[in-house]
């Protein structure tokens, strides 16, 4: 039996102790990164040993932060196996543009995550709660609105690694054993304090009432099992969906935080266009961000794609990125999605 994972700041202290002799100057930053992994003291020793082996295999006498990082990954991967994938986040909170209501739920989630231990354990509120102390959340909204991105940022902020569960894989690979495998995932997540992400929750938690075939009945059993596990889970579980209406109401009630990720409105779109351009990238001083936001009804994901496309147009022309490149790219996004541009007449043929 493993004990509950220590607080992120405590784990960081352990890492600093373990890495100091190896990394010197780079210790602090590497420790900060490493604390996101769900490891206790013993595992930290294993990571250090593995990092040394990896360095020597690469013909280096010095261990680098990236040896430590990859050793962490190897060890974390061993525990979760192929059922879960680690979600990497390259962006930060500064890059995020959210509607006010969404941001409020996220802020509340962060507070909950940070003071969970204080309130439930130190202040004794656990005694008044039969179950359901976990940080559970449902994010819904159209594709490309930041649900996965925010999940990753939240986990990182709470000092946890986020693992995405490929439920279809769990079900197909382990027919008849699905519940066992899921139980294993939840146990491991609790033991090692990792955050879990179930994408496309609608597929899993679709209304449970319609049983058409014996296959569906099996699926229902699994869903009931999942419901229970989520409800009693002590850790972080985030579910995302594009179709909130297909989610069982009983299930919705058991989820602590619910945040809608609506398609962005014009002002948010303008900010998205602006934040997607990296600092230092060659661009014209004046770009019509407001106008771009006003005209094109694109999501964050689509704007990201458009900005990148525009950057290539600009590079090819050997000119700094400008409004015309962004317009062209936005129109390309529209065409690719088979949508009519604003003001474009509908053509019958
Ligand atoms: N609100 C946002 N703020 C900043 N960037 C965003 C936002 N929404 C989307 N993006 C950009 O689009 C990318 C894709 O978004 P993400 O994968 O989080 O969407 P999603 O809501 O999970 O979509 P899906 O429903 O398809 O899973 C992000 O990595 C980010 O670059
Ligand atoms: Mg997603």
């Amino acid at each position: 039996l493993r004990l509950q994972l220590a607080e992120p700041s405590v784990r960081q202290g352990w890492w600093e102790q373990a890495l100091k002799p190896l990394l010197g100057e780079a210790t602090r930053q590497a420790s900060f990164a490493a604390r996101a992994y769900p490891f206790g003291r013993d595992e930290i020793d294993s990571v250090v040993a593995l990092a040394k082996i990896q360095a020597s295999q690469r013909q280096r006498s010095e261990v680098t932060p990236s040896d430590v990082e990859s050793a962490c990954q190897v060890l974390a991967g061993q525990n979760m196996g192929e059922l879960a994938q680690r979600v990497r986040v390259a962006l930060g909170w500064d890059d995020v543009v959210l509607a006010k209501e969404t941001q409020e739920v996220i802020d509340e989630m962060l507070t909950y995550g940070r003071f969970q231990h204080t309130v439930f354990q130190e202040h004794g509120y656990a005694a008044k709660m039969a179950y359901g102390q976990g940080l559970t959340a449902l994010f819904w909204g159209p594709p490309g609105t930041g649900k996965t991105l925010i999940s990753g940022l939240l986990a990182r902020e709470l000092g946890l690694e986020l693992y995405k569960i490929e439920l279809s894989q769990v079900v197909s690979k382990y027919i008849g054993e699905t519940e066992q495998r899921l139980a294993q995932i939840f146990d491991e997540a609790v033991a090692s304090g990792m955050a879990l992400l179930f994408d496309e929750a609608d597929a899993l938690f679709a209304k449970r009432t319609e049983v058409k075939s014996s296959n569906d009945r099996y699926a229902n059993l699994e869903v009931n099992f999942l419901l229970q596990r989520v409800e009693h889970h002590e850790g972080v579980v985030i579910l995302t969906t594009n179709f909130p209406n297909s989610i069982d109401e009983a299930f919705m009630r058991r989820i602590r935080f619910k945040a809608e990720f609506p398609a962005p409105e014009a002002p948010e779109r303008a900010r998205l266009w602006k934040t997607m351009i990296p600092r230092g990238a060659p661009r014209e001083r004046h770009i019509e961000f407001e106008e771009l936001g006003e005209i094109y009804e694109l999501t964050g994901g689509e704007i990201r794609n458009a900005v990148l496309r525009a950057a290539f147009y600009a590079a090819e022309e050997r000119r700094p990125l400008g409004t015309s490149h962004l317009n062209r790219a936005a129109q390309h996004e529209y065409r690719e999605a088979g949508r009519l541009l604003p003001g474009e007449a509908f053509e019958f043929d």
Side-chain angles (χ1 to χ4, degrees):
L1 188 84
R2 251 200 279 176
L3 295 173
Q4 188 105 29
L5 199 69
E7 297 277 300
S9 59
V10 173
R11 299 204 309 274
Q12 185 171 346
W14 292 344
W15 280 107
E16 281 178 18
Q17 231 173 14
L19 296 177
K20 188 104 209 178
L22 296 174
L23 296 181
E25 294 269 289
T27 300
R28 219 187 137 67
Q29 209 177 344
S31 301
F32 182 78
R35 72 173 207 178
Y37 287 91
F39 298 145
R41 278 202 128 130
D42 293 348
E43 283 146 323
I44 291 176
D45 291 342
S46 309
V47 168
V48 169
L50 187 60
K52 283 181 187 161
I53 293 168
Q54 289 191 338
S56 75
Q57 277 173 348
R58 289 165 199 160
Q59 326 283 333
R60 281 189 272 100
S61 56
E62 307 266 298
V63 173
T64 64
S66 80
D67 293 327
V68 175
E69 165 90 23
S70 74
C72 283
Q73 276 172 31
V74 169
L75 228 71
Q78 268 175 9
N79 290 340
M80 281 309 248
E82 75 279 26
L83 303 177
Q85 266 179 355
R86 195 161 79 93
V87 177
R88 296 176 150 278
V89 268
L91 301 176
W93 291 109
D94 287 350
D95 301 307
V96 167
V97 178
L98 289 177
K100 192 165 150 280
E101 292 76 15
T102 316
Q103 187 65 56
E104 279 168 8
V105 181
I106 304 306
D107 290 344
E108 212 188 333
M109 286 179 72
L110 279 171
T111 307
Y112 188 92
R114 287 189 187 122
F115 294 97
Q116 207 173 0
H117 183 80
T118 309
V119 171
F120 287 125
Q121 265 69 48
E122 289 171 33
H123 299 174
Y125 282 80
K128 297 283 179 194
M129 311 268 297
Y131 51 78
Q133 295 168 25
L135 178 48
T136 54
L138 179 72
F139 291 169
W140 79 89
T145 48
K147 299 179 295 298
T148 301
L149 171 64
I150 297 296
S151 303
L153 287 171
L154 270 166
R156 190 167 74 188
E157 191 72 27
L158 297 174
L160 302 168
E161 275 297 319
L162 182 68
Y163 283 82
K164 186 163 123 180
I165 311 304
E166 303 292 342
L167 208 95
S168 51
Q169 266 190 36
V170 178
V171 174
S172 66
K173 269 199 184 151
Y174 302 97
I175 299 163
E177 286 181 55
T178 309
E179 296 191 3
Q180 261 161 283
R181 292 291 159 170
L182 285 171
Q184 188 193 335
I185 289 169
F186 276 96
D187 289 346
E188 183 60 37
V190 173
S192 50
M194 53 181 95
L196 297 177
L197 176 68
F198 288 92
D199 257 338
E200 291 166 31
D202 41 282
L204 327 172
F205 302 104
K207 291 201 172 74
R208 286 173 297 159
T209 44
E210 301 158 41
V211 179
K212 290 190 214 89
S213 68
S214 58
N215 248 354
D216 287 350
R217 208 165 304 133
Y218 274 119
N220 268 353
L221 283 179
E222 280 148 11
V223 166
N224 284 330
F225 176 80
L226 258 174
L227 274 173
Q228 245 180 29
R229 288 305 302 236
V230 170
E231 190 172 0
H232 292 267
H233 192 59
E234 305 266 309
V236 178
V237 187
I238 300 173
L239 305 136
T240 77
T241 178
N242 302 134
F243 311 101
N245 291 335
S246 66
I247 293 195
D248 190 291
E249 259 176 54
F251 182 72
M252 283 288 245
R253 264 185 274 121
R254 290 158 154 139
I255 300 280
R256 187 174 302 275
F257 296 99
K258 286 142 222 164
E260 181 179 5
F261 285 66
E265 302 284 337
E268 282 95 46
R269 295 196 296 260
R271 276 165 60 208
L272 282 162
W273 281 107
K274 198 168 175 180
T275 56
M276 296 284 179
I277 303 171
R279 210 185 293 269
R283 52 165 278 195
E284 275 163 24
R285 258 250 289 278
H286 184 78
I287 294 180
E288 300 281 356
F289 293 115
E290 267 71 34
E291 193 185 286
L292 289 162
E294 201 64 56
I295 301 175
Y296 304 106
E297 293 179 1
L298 298 170
T299 62
E302 289 168 327
I303 292 174
R304 178 196 59 176
N305 294 345
V307 169
L308 188 64
R309 200 187 295 271
F312 277 92
Y313 295 155
E316 191 184 23
E317 289 174 13
R318 292 173 213 290
R319 284 175 44 208
L321 180 75
T323 308
S324 65
H325 300 122
L326 294 166
N327 265 309
R328 235 171 92 201
Q331 286 162 19
H332 196 118
E333 282 298 316
Y334 260 71
R335 246 180 289 135
E336 209 169 73
R339 293 167 61 190
L340 287 174
L341 283 165
E344 204 169 50
F346 197 79
E347 281 177 40
F348 297 92
D349 45 29

